[in-house]
Structures are given as C-alpha cells and as structure tokens.
Amino acid sequence: MAEAPHRPEDVAQPFDVVAEALALGMPYRIRVEADGVTRRFIHVGESCLALNGVPAEAVLANGSVLYDMILPEHRETFARAEAEAMATRRPFSIEIQMRRADGEVRWHRVASYPRVLPDGVALWDGLQADITETRRLAEELRDQRRRLQMAVEATGLGFWEWDPAGDRVIWSERNKALFGLPADAGPLDICRYMELVHPEDLPKVEAVYLATETMEDGGDFSVEHRTAGPESGVRWILTHGRVLKENGETRLVVGTSVDVTERRMMEERRALLMGELAHRAKNGLTVMMAIVGQTARSARSVEDFAGVLTARLDAMAKSQDLVTATGGGPVQLADMLEVALTPFGLARFEIAPGFAGVTIAGQMAAALGLLLHEMATNAVKYGGLSVREGRVRIVSSDAPPGRVVLHWCETGGPPVVPPPKPGFGSRVLETALTPFGGKVVTAFREHGFEARVEFPRAG
C-alpha cells in the first residue's frame, strides 16, 4: 500500500525545532483556508504548557483557549491587527498582555509570517514569546532616565544625546527651552542644532564637533556659544559633552547645556568697569589739565582759581564714587546729572527741568554716570567743551511708559566726525546701559555730537 503524500503543513519546520531548543518561545502554525475566514491551529510547540499553563493539545483542539487568555483591553487591538494582516497577507507582530491558566498576567510578543500555498491556503508560521522581563527592564530604564533627567534639570541643566550614525538628536524639554524651542519641537538633527547657534559662533562650535571624530577612545569636550533661537533671543550656552566610541567609531555623544548669560553679562560689565578704570587712569591727566586750563581762563584771581579748581576736582571724585557704586536705592536723576557733570563746568551744560522728580535705580545711575562721564570727557577733549564758546544741551522728550529719554546735544565746538574705528569710548556708549534695558543712539551732526539715551525709570 502506497504511503500518503505529506502535506506542506505536516512537514516539520526547522524553525519549530530551533525555537524550542533555544527556548525562544512557543512556535505555532495556523492554517487559514482560501476563504480567509476558516482557520485553526495545526501546530503548537510543547513549550505551550510552560508559557501559558495549558498543554499544546488543548490549543490544537480549541484555539479559543489561547485567544481567551488575552486581556479584554487588548482583544480589540489584537483582533484588528490580526484581521488586517490576514487580509493583506503581510507579517503580523503585536505586544499584548495575557492571563495564564494559573491567573498570572504576563506580557507576550506574538509574531507570524504567511506562506501562501498553490490552492490559496495560507499557513502562518509564528512565535509567541514572553517579554515580561524585557518590558520590566525597559520600564525601569525609562524610570531611571526620567529620574535622572528630572534631577539634572532641577539644577537648571538641559540634557541631550546625539547619535552620529543615525543623525538623531534627543533634547530634554529644558534643553529645548534654552534654545527657544517649544517642548513638542521635532524632529531634531545636528543640522537643526547648528541653525540655532549664533552665526558668529558657528565656526567654533562646528570645529569642536568635528574634533570629536579624532578622539581615538572618546573623551570630554566643552564649548560656550550664543544662541539664535526663534523665541529666546540671544543667550549664552555652556555645553559639556562626552564622546562614547566603540572600535574607533563614535556610537553616542551625550551631554548637558546650561544658560550662562547672566555670568557672561557680569563678566562683560566687570571687564567694562575695569577697562574704564584703566581708561580713566590713562586720560585722567588730560581731562584734569583741560579742567585746570578752563578754570584758569575764567578765574579772576589765584584764590578764585584755587577754589573753583578744588570744587571741580571734588565733584569729579564724587562722580567716580557714583560710577563705581553697584547697589543702593533709587537716586534722583537730576542729582546724578549734577554730580556727574560738575567736574566739567556745570555752567556750560543747559539741563532742562524735565528731569525733576525722575528716579532711577542705583545700578542704572552708576552705568548712566559712566556714560555721561565718557561723553563729557570726549566733549572736553574733542567736542563742544573743547572751546570756550561750546555748550552741551541736555533735554528730555516723550518716552514709552516707564522709561526716560535724554538728549545730549553739543554746539559751538569744532566740526566732529565719527572715529575711524570703534574704540573704548564707543564700546561704553554701546554697552553701558544694555544690561539694564537701556540703549544709546549716537549721531555726528554738522553742529556737533548728539546722543539719544533711553533707559527705564526706577520702580
């Protein structure tokens, strides 16, 4: 009697044996008839008992035994994904929770691949694997990363990762905020990051990241740069990074970012004040000689000369005290103008009464005194106060709420022209009030130098 031919579904599959031998999970095979509806298990691995708590024979006899183990909240998703896979005959893969026969709930990954036979029957070779521990470890890692990120961001640091191979950048919400991006901004890559670096600092930042490729065993790097974010304006960011390499290839770069704008501004203000002290020491004798000469020309006697000169030098010392002050309560703008300008001959300044009652913060007064001293010094050396007939007119004008506008206008002096290149004085004019919300606009008119100075009131 001839032996009946083996059907394809009856032939042992190497994968079934390997899966069982290596404990990869439970191999199974489902036969779906050509109508696409009728189906049944035709093979279930012996590991079914250990995995699900029921023997393979029970599932072969009634496949619902296995399907009924799927938790109710996962059944609809599973059925929809399975129906779509069978309709399109594409590979199927899903992660679900199932309740074993003994009541224990476990996570499982169910995946299968179709083989279509000549008669239209589809055989789905699949594997059911317990991934509970994998899911638990992944969740623990996510929790650890979340806690680490919260701890890092509690210190004001932003956290980031860069995968050079996939050109994928991951930024924490704090890191995005530092660059003026919303929390849901994405996707990010290294090119997008470079777009957020201030153009003047871009070559420096690019050079640092290119240098990471030459690190044989990885290492650390730091770079400080300004941002050019769409919402944040210009900020100074200090970035620390660590390069992780494997077999000479950069696998990952991780690091932190912190906003150091305030520190940079303090350093710039300190450098400005220190530079001003050096600048004052350098041209102090020139200014004093000009004051002495002007005093001598207007003095009627030696006693008059000595008295006026002493008074002016004393006022100059008081102005220096005001300039170097860093705190204190609000001061009257009119008083500050008088103290700052008296050393240069207050009679040669026409100060409009519009400043009466206006107060400014102590730090603003110091910065404004520095600015006025610089403009008065320049006027004595080059501008309206360098000749007997010259005058400086200081008037106020309409200003936005909470702000003050002061106009400095020199007349009667020699023709003035812009300096050939910006010097220390120009830097003072540009930056002295910036940290306090003030600004200065200068102009070299035919009749003399002018400046529009705007700054906030106190309170």
Side-chain angles (χ1 to χ4, degrees):
M1 181 175 177
E3 184 177 344
H6 290 289
R7 293 176 300 174
E9 58 266 39
D10 294 332
V11 178
Q13 299 296 314
F15 173 74
D16 301 342
V17 179
V18 172
E20 292 280 12
L22 298 181
L24 299 178
M26 183 196 77
Y28 66 86
R29 189 169 301 108
I30 298 176
R31 176 187 172 98
V32 180
E33 302 299 334
D35 60 10
V37 177
T38 307
R39 57 182 176 172
R40 62 187 176 88
F41 282 95
I42 61 174
H43 174 74
V44 176
E46 292 300 323
S47 57
C48 183
L49 181 60
L51 195 65
N52 300 300
V54 296
E57 292 77 10
V59 177
L60 287 170
N62 182 6
S64 296
V65 171
L66 208 56
Y67 284 101
D68 289 344
M69 291 183 179
I70 301 174
L71 295 190
E73 57 267 31
H74 288 217
R75 288 177 186 172
E76 183 179 348
T77 302
F78 182 90
R80 185 167 55 250
E82 186 182 48
E84 181 180 350
M86 288 188 174
T88 59
R89 292 184 173 178
R90 293 180 178 175
F92 169 76
S93 180
I94 194 171
E95 292 183 4
I96 54 173
Q97 282 183 297
M98 301 177 66
R99 190 182 304 276
R100 288 168 39 92
D102 59 8
E104 183 181 2
V105 175
R106 308 284 291 181
W107 275 97
H108 292 267
R109 177 181 292 113
V110 180
S112 57
Y113 190 87
R115 290 183 291 131
V116 181
L117 303 181
D119 59 0
V121 171
L123 300 181
W124 289 80
D125 295 293
L127 185 71
Q128 177 194 1
D130 189 320
I131 59 170
T132 304
E133 291 306 310
T134 302
R135 296 271 306 204
R136 182 183 62 79
L137 290 174
E139 185 62 31
E140 287 182 359
L141 287 174
R142 282 193 294 270
D143 287 343
Q144 290 175 6
R145 178 170 179 170
R146 187 160 49 246
R147 288 193 292 269
L148 175 61
Q149 181 172 319
M150 291 175 62
V152 169
E153 296 197 352
T155 65
L157 297 173
F159 182 77
W160 55 266
E161 293 182 8
W162 174 40
D163 173 14
D167 195 19
R168 186 171 60 97
V169 174
I170 299 176
W171 278 5
S172 67
E173 291 187 8
R174 173 61 180 168
N175 208 75
K176 292 177 182 178
L178 291 177
F179 285 81
L181 297 179
D184 58 353
L188 294 170
D189 55 28
I190 195 67
C191 292
R192 177 59 175 143
Y193 164 50
M194 293 300 172
E195 290 174 357
L196 298 173
V197 175
H198 195 282
E200 294 179 8
D201 297 333
L202 186 57
K204 173 177 63 175
V205 175
E206 288 178 335
V208 168
Y209 277 85
L210 287 174
T212 62
E213 293 298 319
T214 64
M215 296 180 178
E216 293 185 3
D217 300 317
D220 299 337
F221 66 89
S222 297
V223 62
E224 202 166 294
H225 65 83
R226 289 165 291 178
T227 68
E231 301 295 338
S232 64
V234 176
R235 290 180 177 176
W236 277 97
I237 303 295
L238 173 59
T239 294
H240 292 293
R242 172 161 293 181
V243 181
L244 307 177
K245 291 201 169 188
E246 185 175 313
N247 297 325
E249 295 289 333
T250 301
R251 304 305 300 269
L252 190 65
V253 185
V254 299
T256 60
S257 304
V258 63
D259 189 332
V260 294
T261 305
E262 185 175 352
R263 190 206 77 198
R264 292 287 302 212
M265 292 179 64
M266 291 179 62
E267 290 175 352
E268 290 178 2
R269 288 197 295 270
R270 182 165 58 249
L272 183 64
L273 289 175
M274 294 298 294
E276 171 63 11
L277 291 176
H279 181 63
R280 293 278 183 88
K282 186 176 181 179
N283 65 17
L285 288 176
T286 303
V287 174
M288 291 180 65
M289 289 175 63
I291 292 175
V292 171
Q294 294 170 8
T295 304
R297 286 194 295 270
S298 60
R300 293 185 296 271
S301 64
V302 174
E303 292 77 9
D304 181 39
F305 167 77
V308 173
L309 179 60
T310 301
R312 287 182 173 176
L313 293 178
D314 181 63
M316 187 176 181
K318 292 180 180 179
S319 177
Q320 180 65 28
D321 290 340
L322 182 62
V323 170
T324 56
T326 58
V331 299
Q332 293 289 328
L333 177 58
D335 294 342
M336 190 278 299
L337 287 169
E338 181 177 351
V339 171
L341 300 177
T342 294
F344 304 93
L346 199 59
R348 306 185 68 186
F349 293 87
E350 300 175 12
I351 302 177
F355 301 111
V358 177
T359 59
I360 57 177
Q363 287 186 332
M364 172 58 71
L368 186 58
L370 175 64
L371 175 69
L372 291 170
H373 189 279
E374 183 63 29
M375 290 194 296
T377 298
N378 290 338
V380 169
K381 295 169 66 176
Y382 317 111
L385 301 184
S386 63
V387 297
R388 184 188 298 271
E389 298 79 11
R391 294 290 183 273
V392 176
R393 187 162 50 93
I394 303 175
V395 298
S396 63
S397 64
D398 294 337
R403 298 182 70 82
V404 181
V405 172
L406 177 153
H407 284 280
W408 173 286
C409 306
E410 298 181 18
T411 59
V416 293
V417 294
K421 62 179 181 178
F424 183 82
S426 300
R427 184 165 172 247
V428 169
L429 295 181
E430 292 175 358
T431 63
L433 302 186
T434 301
F436 309 101
K439 57 184 179 180
V440 179
V441 179
T442 61
F444 293 85
R445 309 294 186 190
E446 183 177 347
H447 58 270
F449 173 77
E450 291 187 5
R452 181 184 184 275
V453 184
E454 181 179 332
F455 49 90
R457 293 171 178 259

